Amino acid sequence: MELLCHQQRRTTSVLWPEDIDRRLNILVRAAAAAGERTSRAELLAALVAAVDVEPEQVAALLHHYRRLPADTLAGDEDRDDLPAVRAPGPRRVASP
């Protein structure tokens, strides 16, 4: 049985507010706190897969998001209870 998470990959680009981007990093850290190794892409895929394809529910999500005050996620940066996670890719080597 092929798993959805192992299907062929597609690249996408997302343009969104900086606070939403920071929230995604916080969610990755929350997954790490629960013992999960994941990536931003995998977490986004899981969130998309979790939403029911019900027009009224999708519309309600959009309406809720569009009404959030600008400072809604302001407290996210203060999550000292969550572990830091290293960004994927090669580590930079210090110059001699």
Side-chain angles (χ1 to χ4, degrees), residues 10-56:
R10 298 241 348 176
T11 300
T12 185
S13 64
V14 178
L15 182 64
W16 56 19
E18 289 179 355
D19 282 357
I20 296 294
D21 197 64
R22 280 192 287 276
R23 170 57 72 97
L24 180 56
N25 291 335
I26 293 292
L27 293 173
V28 170
R29 291 173 58 198
E36 294 292 330
R37 286 188 59 168
T38 192
S39 65
R40 291 165 47 99
E42 183 178 40
L43 185 51
L44 281 173
L47 292 170
V48 168
V51 175
D52 289 331
V53 184
E54 295 294 331
E56 294 302 320

Side-chain angles (χ1 to χ4, degrees), residues 15-20 58-70 72-73:
L15 182 64
W16 56 19
E18 289 179 355
D19 282 357
I20 296 294
V58 173
L61 282 171
L62 284 170
H63 293 172
H64 174 74
Y65 168 70
R66 291 173 180 160
R67 290 183 176 97
L68 291 174
T72 297
L73 305 178

